[in-house]
DNA sequence: CGTTATGTACACCGCCCTGTGTGCTTACGG
DNA sequence: CCGTAAGCACACAGGGCGGTGTACATAACG
């Protein structure tokens, strides 16, 4: 018991209640929103007693923050670590979002919680900046003239597509990808990229 | 009393409680969010008894929808009706958002309510489509090759800037405006616009 | 075995929320 | 001046919320 504290993996000896709680929060917070999901409902879905939940998390706020932290790798790393794609393709792959995704949970959390000081809001900010940084890294790798600017621009497009998809109930990522392609081609000086194609300008 | 029902202007003979309610909702819903603003608090701010509020609006849902409808003219019309600007300048003026604005209330409502069937969510969708349409009209006026596409793209940029401003707590509209300028110049064929400048490409 | 951490079951608290019921006051208009 | 509609004050219902207290069960590990 000295080896594992209550670290990220959670379960020491029990039947992994912490994991079930986080798994249920992934589903319910995304499907119904944070504010509209009560702890009773969440515990029922996780098949965990409410008492246990409050022994793992000091409160709902902490659970929400942890829920955001857990969501990270499945999206961010999944795109940027694909070595089978060229840098330019990786930048565009960030716009290939499966239509099941309701809305970027970071935006949703920031709007729902409505408190910039909330730990989840702070993490959302950090995450968004990290994404922009990774986009900038990839942009640099692709030979962009101003990678930071391109990264920031692509991040803005992603967030715009996410927000617009939510409001309009229609997938806005293809349109964003078209803009992204144009920006990328504009930002990469000729004879710098690896697989640039001339014929696609704006889609 | 047969002339005025309880139409848009509200007050029949009384002291205009309806107007005060809507005015208070404009402030509180934007500052604190919809879910975090109770009817008690709202009525206190409007100096209106709760009973009166529920005689004007059948419920909070209807009040929220009306709050969104009331917000419309101050932004949308204010930009597109400026005849002192060229069409291209009008398109870019849509990105000149006073930093006081917390977040596009339509996005906030769609996220907070979390129900596409909610009347406010439906109105938010209609509004966003109307904005895109007006942007497309202006884009056509500016001589864009594909006005609908440009309008949709600019709308996406605006929403992205709004969402990103909220999450990062930093103004993202200048960056969006820079992208917009590039897209506009790309979309308008040479010798079509009225005030195009060559030297600004991406800012 | 027993200890200890873990999880369970269930009732319970106080708070705030939306929404009402009731009775009273004000002001406008004929 | 009087009727009526608009608005007010206040209390309360009903429910969901986050969060807790208590007593009990189980699994791991010595």
């Amino acid at each position: 018991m000295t080896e594992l504290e209550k670290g990220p993996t959670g379960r020491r000896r029990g039947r992994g209640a912490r994991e079930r709680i986080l798994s249920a929060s992934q589903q319910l917070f995304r499907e119904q929103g944070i504010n509209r999901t009560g702890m009773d409902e969440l515990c029922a879905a996780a098949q965990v007693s409410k008492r246990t939940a409050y022994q793992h998390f000091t409160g709902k706020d902490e659970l929400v923050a942890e829920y955001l932290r857990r969501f990270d790798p499945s999206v961010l790393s999944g795109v940027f670590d694909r070595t089978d794609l060229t840098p330019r393709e990786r930048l565009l792959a960030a716009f290939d979002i499966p239509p099941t995704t309701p809305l970027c949970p970071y935006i949703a959390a920031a709007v729902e919680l409505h408190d910039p000081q909330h730990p989840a809001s702070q993490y959302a900010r950090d995450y968004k900046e990290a994404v922009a940084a990774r986009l900038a890294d990839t942009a640099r790798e692709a030979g962009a003239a101003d990678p930071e600017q391109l990264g920031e621009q692509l991040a803005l497009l992603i967030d715009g597509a996410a927000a617009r998809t939510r409001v309009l109930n229609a997938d806005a990522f293809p349109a964003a990808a078209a803009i992204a392609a144009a920006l990328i081609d504009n930002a990469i000086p000729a004879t710098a990229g690896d697989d640039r194609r001339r014929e696609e300008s704006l889609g």
Side-chain angles (χ1 to χ4, degrees), chain A residues 23-59:
Chain A
S23 174
S25 70
Q26 291 289 340
Q27 183 183 353
L28 292 181
F29 285 162
R30 286 182 68 79
E31 284 180 358
Q32 310 179 346
I34 296 171
N35 290 331
R36 300 187 106 75
T37 300
M39 290 298 284
D40 282 319
E41 181 185 9
L42 196 148
C43 292
Q47 287 178 316
V48 158
S49 79
K50 209 154 61 149
R51 207 66 191 83
T52 301
Y54 278 99
Q55 274 158 2
H56 280 285
F57 304 95
T58 65

Side-chain angles (χ1 to χ4, degrees), chain A residues 173-184:
Chain A
F173 278 93
I179 305 176
L183 290 180
I184 293 170

Side-chain angles (χ1 to χ4, degrees), chain A residues 87 91 133-148 150-151 188:
Chain A
L91 289 177
R134 296 208 64 168
L135 286 169
D137 290 343
T138 310
R140 183 177 297 107
E141 203 178 339
D146 190 340
E148 273 73 22
L150 183 56
I188 300 180

Side-chain angles (χ1 to χ4, degrees), chain A residues 8-201:
Chain A
T9 54
R11 61 161 170 76
R12 293 189 189 174
R13 310 171 187 153
R15 294 196 220 66
R18 187 187 180 91
E19 293 305 309
R20 265 177 292 153
I21 295 169
L22 286 169
S23 174
S25 70
Q26 291 289 340
Q27 183 183 353
L28 292 181
F29 285 162
R30 286 182 68 79
E31 284 180 358
Q32 310 179 346
I34 296 171
N35 290 331
R36 300 187 106 75
T37 300
M39 290 298 284
D40 282 319
E41 181 185 9
L42 196 148
C43 292
Q47 287 178 316
V48 158
S49 79
K50 209 154 61 149
R51 207 66 191 83
T52 301
Y54 278 99
Q55 274 158 2
H56 280 285
F57 304 95
T58 65
K60 192 181 182 183
D61 290 346
E62 185 183 313
L63 173 58
V64 171
E66 189 68 17
Y67 141 75
L68 278 191
R69 281 184 215 108
R70 284 303 181 92
F71 187 77
D72 182 3
S74 64
V75 177
L76 186 137
S77 305
V79 172
F80 292 108
D81 294 348
R82 290 185 59 179
T83 54
D84 59 321
L85 299 179
T86 65
R88 183 180 181 279
E89 286 170 338
R90 257 174 282 155
L91 289 177
L92 286 176
F95 292 85
D96 282 338
I97 305 292
T100 60
T101 309
L103 171 67
C104 166
Y106 306 94
I107 299 178
V111 174
E112 281 202 81
L113 302 175
H114 218 278
D115 173 18
Q117 304 309 314
H118 192 289
S121 299
Q122 293 178 351
Y123 181 74
R125 217 175 308 146
D126 296 343
Y127 178 84
K128 285 297 179 188
E129 287 169 357
V131 169
R134 296 208 64 168
L135 286 169
D137 290 343
T138 310
R140 183 177 297 107
E141 203 178 339
D146 190 340
E148 273 73 22
Q149 178 183 316
L150 183 56
E152 188 65 28
Q153 290 178 340
L154 296 181
L156 192 148
L157 288 177
I158 292 174
D159 288 342
R164 207 156 172 77
T165 297
R166 170 66 149 264
V167 176
L168 293 182
N169 251 11
D171 191 1
F173 278 93
I179 305 176
L183 290 180
I184 293 170
D185 289 340
N186 267 350
I188 300 180
T191 75
D194 37 7
D195 67 335
R196 295 179 64 206
R197 306 238 173 90
R198 279 264 157 258
E199 61 273 16
E200 58 178 359
S201 68

